[in-house]
Amino acid sequence: MDGGKRKKYRGWRCRIRSITVSMAPHVTCFRITPELRKLGSFQVAQRRMTGRRCLRAFISGFFVAVPVTVTVLDKLAYVARVEGVSMQPFLNPGGGSECDVVLLNRWSVRNYQVQRGDIVSIVSPKNPKQKIIKRVIGLEGDFIRTLGYKNRYVQIPDGHFWIEGDHHGHSLDSNSFGPVSVGLLHGRASHIIWPPSRWQQIKPFLPLNRGPLDTDEEQD
Amino acid sequence: MFRRVLGKTLGFVGYTIQYGCIAHCAFEYIGEFVVCSGPSMEPTIVNHDVVFSERMSRHLCKIQKGDIVIAKSPFDPNVNICKRVIGLEGDKICTSSPSNLFKTHKYTIGRHLDKVIETQHKAKSASAIHQMKVPKGHVWLEGDNLKNSTDSRSYGPIPYALIRGRVCLKLWPPHTFGTLSESPTQRINKPPSNSDSD
């Protein structure tokens, strides 16, 4: 009998309070009723759930998008803007006004295979943070006549190749630092993709008089 | 039925690509395990040792003198070499190089040209010691086992970009687990440290 009286008393007080709140909504209620408390905590929990869901979605997206993008840029293809005049007139014929943008194929150089006449990008032997784009003139074992190097004729050692810019005299290339190790190869320029008027595929082309020389070796 | 199989296959392919890319990023930017072979780094690293080389120092250009590095061989990019950095760009290296090439080659250029080009490498006596400066963007590598190591003393300094990673931890054999010791040779010129007492 006592328990029943207590229950009735509690229910009656709750009902009075909830009526007071609804009749005077601008009045701040200092004592939160059990019903209101349940409603409030449910809303807070819902907001927390949405926040956690957003965070989880962001993290899972991040862990998919970033590794895939980085792997594609490292292994498949890379886009680079060509700066400077060392490859004129083929690349950047307009000088500083509009720079060409080329697509570098990194998949075709994964086994370090290049041909004479290819335009390649390598990590600069003078500055490991910089990449330079030049044309391959000679491969290992070739005999090359140099333009401005310390030796007039050079035989390219194993595992090295000789690169030159098309614009002789305005180019930092093998004529300054000698044969370059094939391990520095970064990518092969396959297409010019900007500006749209110059969209074309880059084919291997060896300039006249820059090919390897025929030699007969006699050893004493 | 077919759609379920296709869906499952595509899901499997998607997961393979995702985890393959994560693995590539880990090996390329964090570190890799390397099995060493050869006697050129004895006694620090012996044949069949497994070491862990981290890649971050190389990408941030923080390789220092005295570090053991894994680098691509300048003569064959598919072969890796493991040596110690003795000098960075701008450092002066004393080298005696008694094994310089003494060959003389005569080449006839073209069938029509009568020019005979003679290239001769200067013969150096065994006791001549000369100092050379490591050029910009290059490093000088030497093995710890100076008597049995082909390194920069034979092929000269190598470009910094050929370095793949810095060896930081030896993993196998278990009784030598831990960081690697300092160079046993006296080839590294450490700059004189500032001392308070004169």
Side-chain angles (χ1 to χ4, degrees):
Chain A
M1 207 128 114
D2 274 348
K5 262 194 191 163
R6 234 174 278 143
K7 250 198 240 173
K8 232 163 122 180
Y9 172 77
R10 211 184 290 152
W12 171 79
R13 277 177 81 178
C14 281
R15 254 181 264 128
I16 293 288
R17 277 208 193 98
S18 54
I19 291 169
T20 325
V21 166
S22 59
M23 277 168 48
H26 62 278
V27 172
T28 322
C29 197
F30 290 102
R31 273 199 67 178
I32 311 258
T33 61
E35 278 102 355
L36 278 177
R37 190 183 293 135
K38 267 188 225 165
L39 185 69
S41 60
F42 177 68
Q43 278 179 338
V44 166
Q46 231 187 3
R47 247 177 268 135
R48 220 178 279 158
M49 275 279 288
T50 326
R52 220 176 274 171
R53 227 179 279 158
C54 274
L55 193 66
R56 220 175 288 166
F58 174 75
I59 288 179
S60 65
F62 181 84
F63 275 108
V64 169
V66 169
V68 170
T69 313
V70 168
T71 307
V72 165
L73 290 178
D74 276 351
K75 288 279 172 193
L76 291 181
Y78 198 83
V79 174
R81 210 169 74 114
V82 178
E83 283 169 9
V85 299
S86 60
M87 283 299 289
Q88 279 184 346
F90 189 74
L91 293 177
N92 273 2
S97 54
E98 233 190 46
C99 291
D100 284 350
V101 175
V102 294
L103 182 71
L104 296 171
N105 188 344
R106 303 207 62 186
W107 183 251
S108 60
V109 297
R110 68 193 186 281
N111 289 325
Y112 306 105
Q113 303 278 335
V114 280
Q115 317 172 21
R116 294 180 194 88
D118 271 344
I119 298 188
V120 295
S121 79
I122 63 163
V123 182
S124 168
K126 294 263 184 205
N127 183 0
K129 297 190 189 158
Q130 199 188 32
K131 305 220 176 15
I132 57 181
I133 290 192
K134 298 285 181 275
R135 199 182 287 276
V136 175
I137 299 293
L139 301 175
E140 62 182 13
D142 286 351
F143 226 98
I144 292 288
R145 183 173 53 86
T146 69
L147 306 161
Y149 188 54
K150 56 183 179 185
N151 299 331
R152 188 110 181 268
Y153 294 91
V154 161
Q155 187 182 26
I156 302 173
D158 283 343
H160 287 65
F161 61 150
W162 189 271
I163 56 167
E164 271 179 19
D166 286 348
H167 196 180
H168 302 304
H170 290 80
S171 163
L172 179 72
D173 52 23
S174 285
N175 289 314
S176 326
F177 42 70
V180 176
S181 176
V182 177
L184 295 178
L185 196 54
H186 183 248
R188 189 178 61 86
S190 60
H191 293 79
I192 300 179
I193 56 178
W194 188 266
S197 55
R198 289 182 34 81
W199 203 99
Q200 60 184 286
Q201 189 184 4
I202 299 178
K203 294 210 162 53
F205 167 71
L206 207 53
L208 301 165
N209 306 325
R210 295 309 300 141
L213 307 162
D214 299 321
T215 72
D216 300 310
E217 180 176 337
E218 310 152 8
Q219 260 188 341
D220 28 276
Chain B
M1 166 68 189
F2 177 69
R3 233 179 255 173
R4 249 184 46 208
V5 170
L6 188 67
K8 279 210 173 133
T9 316
L10 285 177
F12 176 72
V13 167
Y15 272 119
T16 313
I17 292 178
Q18 183 190 347
Y19 289 123
C21 293
I22 292 180
H24 165 84
C25 287
F27 288 130
E28 184 70 30
Y29 295 101
I30 300 178
E32 56 184 2
F33 299 100
V34 181
V35 180
C36 302
S37 64
S40 61
M41 282 297 290
E42 284 172 3
T44 319
I45 300 176
V46 299
N47 211 358
H48 304 309
D49 275 359
V50 178
V51 297
F52 180 73
S53 86
E54 50 100 3
R55 300 281 209 141
M56 286 311 292
S57 313
R58 184 256 182 222
H59 288 294
L60 300 172
C61 292
K62 293 246 184 335
I63 302 277
Q64 288 164 354
K65 259 195 283 205
D67 284 344
I68 303 182
V69 295
I70 308 280
K72 289 191 233 183
S73 166
F75 294 109
D76 187 356
N78 296 314
V79 168
N80 295 325
I81 57 175
C82 175
K83 300 279 182 264
R84 199 181 284 270
V85 174
I86 299 295
L88 299 168
E89 63 182 12
D91 289 344
K92 292 206 173 59
I93 303 287
C94 294
T95 166
S96 55
S97 52
S99 55
N100 251 356
L101 301 166
F102 303 136
K103 281 191 222 157
T104 305
H105 292 266
K106 276 193 190 159
Y107 296 100
T108 324
I109 312 293
R111 269 177 251 129
H112 307 292
L113 285 169
D114 291 330
K115 241 191 214 173
V116 170
I117 305 295
E118 209 174 80
T119 57
Q120 192 174 17
H121 292 269
K122 241 170 148 184
K124 292 211 190 295
S125 61
S127 57
I129 295 180
H130 55 279
Q131 227 187 25
M132 65 159 288
K133 198 168 161 191
V134 180
K136 193 160 174 289
H138 288 64
V139 292
W140 186 273
L141 301 181
E142 278 181 18
D144 284 350
N145 190 359
L146 288 173
K147 292 196 182 73
N148 200 352
S149 165
T150 323
D151 46 36
S152 287
R153 291 171 300 159
S154 2
Y155 46 70
I158 70 164
Y160 183 94
L162 285 180
I163 294 180
R164 286 175 62 121
R166 182 182 72 96
V167 174
C168 55
L169 209 57
K170 205 202 277 204
L171 300 173
W172 188 269
H175 62 89
T176 52
F177 181 90
T179 51
L180 293 129
S181 46
E182 295 276 316
S183 170
T185 63
Q186 303 298 320
R187 297 279 295 154
I188 301 179
N189 301 328
K190 286 262 159 71
S193 52
N194 297 329
S195 55
D196 288 326
S197 58
D198 285 307

